[in-house]
Amino acid sequence: MDGNGNLVVPDKPIIPFIEGDGIGPDIWKASVKVFDAAVAKAYNGKKKIEWKEVLAGEKAFNQTGSWMPEATMDAFKEYLLSIKGPLTTPVGGGIRSLNVALRQELDLYVCLRPVKYFEGVPSPMWQPEKVNMVIFRENTEDIYAGIEFMTGTPEAKKLMDFLVTEMKVKSIRFPDTTSLGIKPVSKEGSERLIRSAIKHAIEHKLPSVTIVHKGNIMKYTEGAFKNWGYELAEREFGGNVYTWNQWERTKKESGEAVANEEMRISAAGGKVIIKDAIADNFLQQALLAPQDYSVIATLNLNGDYISDALAAQVGGIGIAPGANINYLTGHAVFEATHGTAPRFANTNTMNPSSVILSGVMMLEYMRWEAAAQLITNAVGKTIRSKKVTIDFYNLMKDATLLKTSEFADEIIKNM
C-alpha cells in the first residue's frame, strides 16, 4: 500500500493460494490455468503471477497437525492478496471456522459478493438478467462475532443473572434453559463498511446504495447501522450522493407527502441515491423488482442470507464468487463460496466457476482489468455455447458435458 492508501502491484506479484479440500484440488487446477492464460494473453508476457502454495484445512492438518498453520497466516499478512478454494471446518472441536478465523485475524471487514447473471445459466427466475448487485456484508461484528454461551454453563448463568438482576430484563421467557448470544454493532464498524459501499458505487457509476437492516425491531443495533449510514453519506459524500433522508426532510419542510421512488430518482439529479430497506421486505423486492437495486450494504447475518438467496436467482452458489477485504490495509482473500463436496473429490467433474470468478475479482482489485475482462467474456461465451460441467448439463437441453479441466480449456479457447 502506498502513502495514499492505494494498492501497488508489481508486474510479477507473489500470490499465496490454498487449493482447498474435497473438490478443491480439481477446481484449483482448472482455475489457475485460466488465470495464467488470461494474464499472458492480456499483457503479452509482461505480467505474470508467481503462485505460492500455503496450507490450511484438512491438507494442512494431515501434514502439520494444524488446521491453520502460523506460516499460512504469516504469508497472508505479508503478501496482502491471496485466493483459496473451499475448506473443511473440523467437527466436534478445534477452530469454529477457518474462514471466520481469517476474517477476524486480518480484520477483513468487507465480505464482497457480486451477483450477476450469465446468459444461458439455468435459473428458477423468469428474468434473472435483471439481477445485477454487489453486496457489501459487514464481516467482523453482529452475532458472527462468536460471543455466545451455552445454557447450563457458569458463563451463561453469570450473564443471565446480570441481565435479570442488574439490567431488569423481563423478556427472557425461559431463563433456566436459555443459551445467550451477544450482537455487537459498532459505529466504526458500520461506517467503514458503508463507506466502502458508497465509494464502490461512485467509482463504478452505479445508481444506488441500499442499506438493508432490521432496524424496525433491533433499533439500537440494526437501526443504528442505518442511521450511521445516512449520517456518514451526508457528512463525507454530500456532493456525490442524495439520501432518502434529504428528500424526506425537504418534503416535510414544504408540507408535502413523501413521493414515490421514481420522483426521488429524478430529484437526485444523477447522484448516487442512498436508501434503506428492511431485510424481509428487501428479500421480497429482490424477487419482484431486482432492477431497483445495485449496491447493498448490510450487517453480517443479513448479508449471509442475502448473498446466497441472490446467488440462487442467477444460477446457484456453485458459480458465486466472493472476497473478504480490508480496504485500509489492502489485505484481501478471494474465495470459492461453496463447500468442499468431499463425495466428488478427485472426480474432475465439478464446476470451477466460483474460484474462476473470484480470481476475476482479484484481478480487478489488482487493476488488471484487461485480464479480468478476458475471463468474464470467455466464461459467458462458454456457457452460452452449452459446453458445461455436470451441474449445468443436467439442467440444459442439448448441452455438451465437460469435465472440470475440459471446461477450463474451453474458457481459454474462448478468450
Side-chain angles (χ1 to χ4, degrees):
M1 299 292 281
D2 66 14
N4 296 318
N6 298 310
L7 192 69
V8 179
V9 182
D11 286 341
K12 294 186 177 181
I14 298 170
I15 297 182
F17 73 92
I18 299 169
E19 64 177 9
D21 299 324
I23 62 172
D26 281 349
I27 60 177
W28 173 254
K29 286 174 193 170
S31 299
V32 75
K33 283 169 59 178
V34 172
F35 303 150
D36 288 343
V39 170
K41 185 174 181 64
Y43 305 110
N44 297 314
K46 294 178 182 177
K47 295 179 186 287
K48 185 178 187 296
I49 295 172
E50 303 289 345
W51 300 104
K52 175 184 176 68
E53 183 175 12
V54 293
L55 300 178
E58 192 170 17
K59 184 175 181 178
F61 185 77
N62 291 339
Q63 292 189 22
T64 71
S66 171
W67 292 94
M68 177 66 73
E70 189 174 336
T72 297
M73 194 66 77
D74 289 344
F76 279 21
K77 291 176 181 177
E78 179 180 356
Y79 294 104
L80 296 186
L81 305 189
S82 53
I83 187 167
K84 56 180 278 298
L87 291 177
T88 299
T89 294
V91 177
I95 193 166
R96 282 192 176 193
S97 165
L98 297 171
N99 293 327
V100 172
L102 279 170
R103 294 167 189 171
Q104 296 285 350
E105 180 70 21
L106 299 174
D107 195 22
L108 304 174
Y109 60 86
V110 170
C111 179
L112 186 65
R113 291 280 296 271
V115 183
K116 62 177 289 188
Y117 180 68
F118 284 91
E119 183 184 347
V121 172
S123 166
M125 297 288 291
W126 176 45
Q127 294 177 304
E129 68 277 3
K130 289 187 175 181
V131 179
N132 190 358
M133 302 185 211
V134 182
I135 302 153
F136 280 74
R137 166 189 168 192
E138 204 290 317
N139 223 6
T140 62
E141 298 190 319
D142 201 357
I143 59 174
Y144 281 36
I147 308 170
E148 55 178 1
F149 307 94
M150 183 65 188
T151 182
T153 63
E155 295 83 1
K157 185 179 186 308
K158 186 174 183 179
L159 181 55
M160 182 67 71
D161 289 344
F162 172 75
L163 291 172
V164 173
T165 305
E166 297 292 326
M167 302 301 292
K168 309 299 181 187
V169 173
K170 301 183 183 300
S171 55
I172 301 175
R173 190 161 301 235
F174 304 107
D176 292 338
T177 58
T178 295
S179 292
L180 296 166
I182 294 178
K183 178 187 177 78
V185 177
S186 70
K187 185 176 183 181
E188 293 87 348
S190 299
E191 287 187 342
R192 66 182 184 174
L193 181 281
I194 296 168
R195 182 182 293 114
S196 299
I198 295 173
K199 283 183 175 180
H200 181 89
I202 293 171
E203 181 179 342
H204 292 86
K205 297 181 170 55
L206 298 172
S208 68
V209 174
T210 304
I211 301 169
V212 178
H213 61 91
K214 276 296 291 181
N216 57 327
I217 304 299
M218 292 170 274
K219 300 183 185 299
Y220 304 134
T221 52
E222 305 238 352
F225 176 78
K226 178 200 78 168
N227 293 336
W228 291 328
Y230 276 129
E231 292 165 5
L232 171 92
E234 294 182 19
R235 183 176 71 246
E236 296 188 10
F237 300 96
N240 296 297
V241 303
Y242 188 81
T243 71
W244 275 14
N245 276 0
Q246 289 173 306
W247 171 267
E248 289 168 1
R249 285 199 301 270
T250 300
K251 301 302 288 183
K252 186 175 182 180
E253 289 165 3
S254 65
E256 299 178 37
V258 175
N260 60 28
E261 185 170 350
E262 287 74 21
M263 291 185 68
R264 288 171 170 165
I265 292 171
S266 176
K271 296 180 180 180
V272 174
I273 293 177
I274 312 298
K275 54 185 177 176
D276 73 274
I278 294 173
D280 45 339
N281 181 57
F282 171 77
L283 286 168
Q284 176 180 236
Q285 292 304 312
L287 293 170
L288 298 175
Q291 69 277 5
D292 289 345
Y293 303 93
S294 52
V295 178
I296 308 302
T298 191
L299 285 166
N300 212 332
L301 181 62
N302 292 334
D304 201 355
Y305 296 153
I306 289 167
S307 297
D308 283 12
L310 289 176
Q313 294 180 220
V314 297
I317 200 168
I319 63 165
N324 302 283
I325 302 173
N326 183 319
Y327 287 100
L328 303 176
T329 65
H331 286 102
V333 179
F334 300 84
E335 63 180 355
T337 58
H338 54 72
T340 59
R343 185 159 62 100
F344 300 103
N346 304 312
T347 62
N348 194 28
T349 58
M350 294 293 100
N351 191 339
S353 294
S354 182
V355 174
I356 290 172
L357 294 174
S358 296
V360 168
M361 294 178 68
M362 184 180 73
L363 292 168
E364 290 172 341
Y365 187 70
M366 294 162 62
R367 304 292 184 185
W368 290 15
E369 286 91 351
Q373 196 61 52
L374 269 178
I375 298 173
T376 301
N377 293 344
V379 168
K381 185 175 180 180
T382 304
I383 292 171
R384 288 194 301 274
S385 72
K386 296 188 176 182
K387 295 179 179 180
V388 291
T389 48
I390 187 69
D391 53 333
F392 288 169
Y393 175 80
N394 286 335
L395 299 172
M396 287 179 169
K397 291 181 180 179
D398 304 320
T400 301
L401 178 61
L402 299 181
K403 295 285 192 180
T404 306
S405 54
E406 294 170 337
F407 184 71
D409 291 338
E410 194 67 22
I411 291 171
I412 293 168
K413 190 177 84 173
N414 285 328
M415 286 182 187

